[in-house]
């Protein structure tokens, strides 16, 4: 995570420039905990994306819906809204430095995971949306990863989905099974 200011009295926050100075290459922005616990809006997340890119960082942009939103059938409306805030603020060329991580909030750390069909459906819709509102090139070249209770038992079948370009792994990255996730496409 990072903040939107390069310096100042923002106790507890870290600037993109500081991350860059210490050698960080990537920053994760828009994670559900930041959105829900700290009430970070789509627009604030987009502002952070811009500042991170300006500082020379690459961005993992997390998007995803709550269980109530999935059950209400508005998953794509939610992820499109989250994407729209960023689309409005970045240039087409910036997408070369952004990876989208689709993380259904209801699956993060819960042991529940989207089925391969659910993940593929949302990933394909995200790619189509990027094609429609940004460009075909951005849609084709932007990596869209899946996060949300990825483990050694589900990674291979998720990795076989044509629009799942990898994973954003949480708790499983601290376990030996992480090796299986890394090698899911082998």
């Amino acid at each position: 995570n990072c903040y939107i200011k390069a310096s100042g009295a923002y106790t507890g926050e870290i600037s993109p420039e500081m991350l860059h100075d210490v050698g960080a290459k990537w920053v994760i922005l828009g994670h559900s905990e930041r959105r829900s616990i700290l009430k970070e809006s789509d627009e604030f997340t987009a502002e952070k994306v811009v500042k991170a890119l300006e500082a020379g960082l690459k961005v993992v942009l997390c998007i995803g819906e709550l269980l109530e939103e999935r059950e209400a059938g508005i998953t794509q409306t939610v992820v499109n809204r989250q994407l729209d805030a960023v689309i409005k603020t970045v240039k087409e060329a910036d997408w070369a430095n952004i990876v989208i991580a689709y993380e259904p909030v209801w699956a993060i750390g819960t042991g529940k995971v989207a089925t391969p069909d659910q993940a593929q459906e949302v990933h394909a819709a995200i790619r189509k949306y990027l094609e429609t509102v940004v460009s075909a090139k951005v849609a084709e070249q932007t990596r869209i990863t899946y996060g949300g209770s990825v483990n050694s038992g589900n990674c291979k079948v998720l990795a076989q989905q044509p629009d799942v370009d990898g994973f954003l792994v949480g708790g499983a990255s601290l376990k030996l099974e992480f090796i299986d996730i890394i090698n899911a496409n082998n």
Side-chain angles (χ1 to χ4, degrees), residues 1-6 12-17 19 26-35 38-62 85-86 89-90 97-98:
N1 184 56
C2 68
Y3 195 56
I4 58 171
K5 301 289 185 179
E13 295 296 338
I14 188 163
S15 75
E17 291 80 2
L19 291 172
W26 289 87
V27 63
I28 298 174
L29 300 174
H31 198 276
S32 64
E33 285 116 0
R34 302 291 304 188
R35 292 178 188 267
L38 299 171
K39 308 297 183 217
E40 291 187 359
S41 68
D42 299 334
E43 293 72 25
F44 187 62
T45 298
E47 189 175 356
K48 289 166 62 168
V49 169
V50 169
K51 297 300 183 183
L53 292 169
E54 288 174 352
L57 297 171
K58 295 181 184 216
V59 173
V60 176
L61 172 65
C62 298
V86 174
T89 60
V90 301
N97 294 308
I98 299 172

Side-chain angles (χ1 to χ4, degrees), residues 87-130:
I87 290 166
K88 291 175 189 173
T89 60
V90 301
K91 300 178 218 95
E92 184 172 338
D94 290 331
W95 287 95
N97 294 308
I98 299 172
V99 169
I100 296 171
Y102 167 62
E103 293 196 298
V105 179
W106 50 270
I108 299 171
T110 64
K112 296 179 183 178
V113 65
T115 67
D117 289 341
Q118 288 171 323
Q120 171 56 27
E121 177 185 7
V122 177
H123 281 232
I126 290 168
R127 200 169 304 282
K128 183 67 178 166
Y129 190 69
L130 289 174

